[in-house]
């Protein structure tokens, strides 16, 4: 069984029209202000990755719940099954419908409210994720995507974030015009492509009591493991991914500079062509001949196609994510260093 690759986009494919559109939000206002997740859902997501996620492979699944005012309550989830390319007859939309139908029969929340995906060192800002989230959000206004980072979680802090596409980006995606002019007109930059929604994890009172008891029983020695400064592997991998994205951005810059040179060259050709026709018309007029007929110069000189802008914005967003991860990682290590020094001074 082979798990699907990062950003395959299969989570959002096909199901968008299966549910009716949710309530529309006001212009420029988000339909969801807060995401409330049951602790059971968090454990299911973590368990799904531990059982099927390997290396840079990611796991994906469906989120179920309901909308209460401007709060999205996620009460259940189920994973997408891993399948190989040989499973050509596997219908993911039909699989989702059957799963939700079965959950409805046992009186469990079955309304579709989004999807989740694990990430590899924070590399989730991709075109496939954008397309999948647009498919969900276009069909169900309140949909979110949960991004689970197992590497950060393994360091002792749960990393789970909820994202939505901003209203500006939703309008651009509906028009399917990702040209530089359209993105500039919509004032789209990598900073305002996605919006993060605050997350609140909710547990029952019995679970809270059990967690309190477990915390009291846990030894202080076990907690010292969180102060480990072994970070070379994580930091090195993050820097390598950051350099890869910077290289991709450099290639996009080269493509854009080539486009500008082609535009400038074509403008010179147009100018030279117009000058030649003007001189020829002057000579024809001196000979008493009629001027040459008017021609559409844009048909003779077809303008070069500008490079797509959306990919560059996604790469810029990914670079920003990696920089934030490295910044947070260094801050955590600095805090661990101070804490370890304080513990050493206390023991001495």
């Amino acid at each position: 069984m082979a798990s699907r690759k990062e950003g395959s986009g299969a989570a959002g494919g096909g199901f968008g029209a299966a549910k009716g559109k949710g309530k529309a939000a006001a212009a420029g206002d988000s339909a969801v202000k807060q995401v409330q997740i049951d602790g059971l859902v968090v454990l299911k997501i973590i368990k799904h990755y531990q059982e099927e996620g390997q290396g840079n492979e990611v796991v994906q699944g469906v989120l179920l719940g309901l909308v209460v005012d401007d709060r999205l309550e996620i009460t259940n989830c189920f994973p997408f099954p891993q399948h190989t390319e040989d499973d050509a007859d596997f219908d993911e939309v039909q699989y989702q419908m059957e799963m939700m139908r079965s959950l409805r029969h046992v009186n469990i929340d079955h309304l579709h409210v989004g999807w989740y995906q694990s990430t590899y060192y924070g590399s989730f800002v991709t075109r496939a994720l954008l397309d999948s989230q647009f498919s969900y959000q276009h069909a169900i206004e309140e949909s979110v995507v949960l991004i689970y980072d197992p590497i950060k979680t393994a360091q002792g802090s749960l990393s789970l974030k909820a994202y939505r596409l901003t209203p500006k980006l939703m309008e651009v995606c509906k028009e399917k015009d990702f040209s530089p002019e359209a993105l500039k007109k919509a004032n789209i930059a990598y900073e305002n492509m996605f919006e993060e929604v605050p997350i609140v994890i909710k547990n029952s009172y019995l679970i809270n009591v059990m967690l309190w008891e477990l915390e009291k029983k846990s030894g202080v020695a076990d907690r010292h493991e969180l102060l480990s400064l072994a970070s070379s592997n994580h930091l090195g991998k993050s820097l390598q991914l950051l350099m890869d994205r910077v290289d991709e951005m450099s290639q996009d810059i080269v493509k854009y500079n080539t486009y500008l040179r082609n535009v400038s060259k074509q403008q010179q050709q147009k100018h030279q062509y117009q000058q030649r026709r003007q001189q020829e018309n002057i000579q024809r007029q001196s000979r008493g001949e009629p001027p040459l007929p008017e021609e559409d110069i844009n048909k003779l000189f077809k303008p070069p196609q500008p490079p797509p802008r959306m990919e560059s914005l996604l790469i810029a967003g990914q670079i920003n994510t990696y920089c934030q991860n490295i910044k947070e990682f260094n801050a955590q290590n600095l805090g661990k260093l101070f804490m370890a020094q304080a513990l050493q001074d206390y023991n001495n």
Side-chain angles (χ1 to χ4, degrees), residues 96 103 140 147 182 214 227 252 300 325:
Q96 295 181 50
L103 291 173
I140 307 172
I147 301 297
L214 291 176
L227 300 179
D252 281 357
L300 297 175
N325 290 343

Side-chain angles (χ1 to χ4, degrees), residues 5-29:
K5 297 288 184 180
E6 172 105 28
S8 64
F15 183 73
K19 302 291 292 183
K21 284 193 176 182
K23 60 183 180 180
D29 192 15

Side-chain angles (χ1 to χ4, degrees), residues 153-344:
T153 302
Q155 297 173 358
S157 177
L158 175 64
S159 178
L160 191 67
K161 296 184 178 182
Y163 291 98
R164 289 169 45 82
L165 302 186
T166 59
K168 288 184 178 180
L169 187 57
M170 284 294 296
E171 292 298 325
V172 172
C173 291
K174 288 178 183 178
E175 299 295 332
K176 297 182 180 180
D177 183 6
F178 302 111
S179 63
E181 293 78 9
L183 294 176
K184 182 179 180 180
K185 182 179 179 180
N187 195 22
I188 296 292
Y190 72 88
E191 298 95 336
N192 56 9
M193 295 176 63
F194 297 91
E195 58 181 359
E196 184 177 353
V197 185
I199 291 179
V200 174
I201 299 178
K202 179 183 179 182
N203 293 314
S204 67
Y205 296 113
L206 292 177
I207 293 179
N208 288 331
V209 171
M210 182 189 70
L211 293 175
W212 179 260
E213 291 294 330
L214 291 176
E215 184 177 0
K216 289 195 300 182
K217 292 180 180 179
S218 62
V220 177
D222 297 333
R223 300 179 187 177
H224 289 174
E225 297 179 0
L226 300 179
L227 300 179
S228 173
L229 297 178
S231 60
S232 58
N233 184 35
H234 183 279
L235 184 59
K237 188 63 178 178
S238 298
L239 289 173
Q240 181 61 49
L241 292 171
L242 176 59
M243 289 188 293
D244 292 341
R245 298 292 88 76
V246 171
D247 289 341
E248 292 180 6
M249 178 62 73
S250 299
Q251 294 175 6
D252 281 357
I253 293 175
V254 171
K255 293 179 182 178
Y256 184 70
N257 289 334
T258 302
Y259 163 74
L260 291 180
R261 287 196 298 269
N262 292 336
V263 170
S264 177
K265 182 178 179 181
Q266 189 182 75
Q267 291 296 333
Q268 294 178 358
Q269 293 175 348
K270 284 183 179 180
H271 182 66
Q272 293 173 359
Y273 176 79
Q274 289 174 340
Q275 284 184 335
R276 288 196 303 267
R277 285 184 62 87
Q278 186 177 5
Q279 292 176 359
E280 188 172 354
N281 283 332
I282 293 175
Q283 294 176 359
R284 292 174 65 91
Q285 185 177 4
S286 64
R287 296 194 299 264
E289 299 176 357
L292 294 173
E294 294 292 336
E295 294 182 353
D296 189 356
I297 195 170
N298 291 325
K299 291 183 178 180
L300 297 175
F301 297 92
K302 188 175 182 180
Q305 191 70 19
R309 178 65 174 165
M310 180 57 69
E311 298 299 331
S312 300
L313 291 179
L314 291 172
I315 293 174
Q318 191 65 73
I319 290 175
N320 181 66
T321 301
Y322 286 141
C323 291
Q324 291 294 333
N325 290 343
I326 294 173
K327 180 180 178 181
E328 293 173 2
F329 187 77
N330 290 334
Q332 290 175 359
N333 277 348
L334 185 61
K336 290 179 181 179
L337 183 62
F338 286 143
M339 183 64 70
Q341 185 64 43
L343 288 175
Q344 184 178 0

Side-chain angles (χ1 to χ4, degrees), residues 72-98:
L72 179 65
E73 298 183 2
I74 302 175
T75 58
N76 205 348
C77 68
F78 62 85
F80 281 112
Q82 295 179 340
H83 56 88
T84 62
E85 296 179 356
D86 297 333
D87 302 329
D89 56 344
F90 179 77
D91 189 344
E92 290 192 354
V93 176
Q94 184 64 26
Y95 166 77
Q96 295 181 50
M97 299 301 294
E98 291 178 356

